[in-house]
Amino acid sequence: MHTHQPLIGKTLTELQAIVSSLGMAKFTARQIAEWIYRKQATDIDEMTNISKANREKLGTSYYIGKLQPLQSVKSSDGTVKYLFPTSNGKHVETVFIPDGERATLCVSCQVGCKMNCVFCQTGKQGWQGDLTAADILSQVFHADYFDRLTNIVFMGQGEPLDNYDNLMKALEILCADYGLQWSPKRITVSSVGLKKSLRRFLDESQCHLAISMHTPIHEMRLRLMPAEQQYPIADIVSLLREYDWTHQRRLTFEYTMFGGVNDSPLYAKETVRLLQGLECRVNLIRWHRIPDVGLEEAEDSRMASFRDYLNNHGITTTIRASRGQDIYAACGLLSTKNG
């Protein structure tokens, strides 16, 4: 375990406090940020526009701190899954998905997950800790793919809004002028709908939002997703209707389909009833089997009928292409239970 503190994951305000405590000029903080986030420095000594004396001061208690993946595995479709260490001695999985000119990184926010959705392998792992902002950003800044990234989705291991402060620090750094200066429209955050944190996110961020719905019917969602008990999907949709989705920010509902469970015309009709008049889209997702879960994959014809019904009733709906299934990198398959 490293005894120094990582500089990666620090906001400009935090860097200003650090340089002030070390007796450095305030502008040095922005120089440090530029080296970490734009120039991809891996060592403090690379910061050549900072005096040697100040670099030595900084190095007494801090280091860059970008964590490197321990291994990677590549799918037949080009998807690559990486295993990253975390600051609490655990591991998380991160997935890079190249697709023509688009390249998406699926980032984790927690080791395991508290939500324990029946159909998700990550939930079977239980919750083993939040990732720090440094842990989160280390996944983004890996040299294998960093220069190719066009989009980031916080849809890896864990519930992002359950690690709100570290998520928002990472988002600030990704979008701020001292950081990567990314448009928030390149970033999507996924959530089951933790209502209090969700409202904060909607008020404090302009990133896209994806809600894990999976069924519009309370009783069925409760069977599949324990979070429905505290955060009913009807309440979440009611909250979302308070916000304007007609311009910049995009709202998506993720809907994993299970054969004979949530793929019938009844569920299509109830989805339309729930979402009617809300500017949004729906992603239908093929379920990928995990051990000891008695669910079945939905037939392609049922998914197509469901998609067509929603589209015909004014809700833009697509069937998401499955990527990385052969390396257990597809939706719901990430886990480091034995890592």
Side-chain angles (χ1 to χ4, degrees), residues 109 152 154 159-172 175 184-185 187-191 193-211 239-240 243 245 249-252:
C109 285
I152 293 173
F154 286 86
E159 162 59 54
L161 297 189
D162 191 42
N163 186 15
Y164 188 83
D165 290 341
N166 288 311
L167 168 71
M168 295 304 290
K169 280 179 66 176
L171 293 180
E172 176 183 330
C175 298
K185 308 309 177 290
I187 302 170
T188 300
V189 174
S190 177
S191 175
L194 307 190
K195 195 171 182 180
K196 184 177 180 180
S197 295
L198 177 58
R199 185 179 288 280
R200 284 187 64 193
F201 173 77
L202 293 172
D203 290 339
E204 297 172 9
S205 171
Q206 287 299 310
C207 294
H208 297 315
L209 174 67
I211 293 293
L239 168 62
L240 295 172
Y243 293 81
W245 301 97
R249 181 188 281 172
R250 185 173 64 241
L251 172 62
T252 303

Side-chain angles (χ1 to χ4, degrees), residues 1 20 42 61 65 111 230 247 304 321 330:
M1 193 69 71
S20 175
T42 58
S61 299
V111 182
Q230 191 171 357
H247 293 98

Side-chain angles (χ1 to χ4, degrees), residues 212-222 224-225 228 233 254-256 261-262 267 271 274:
S212 298
M213 180 170 72
H214 308 302
T215 169
I217 297 176
H218 170 74
E219 291 77 14
M220 180 55 72
R221 194 169 189 259
L222 190 59
L224 296 171
M225 304 172 66
E228 173 71 7
I233 189 61
E254 309 290 344
Y255 195 112
T256 303
V261 174
N262 64 347
Y267 283 82
T271 299
L274 180 65

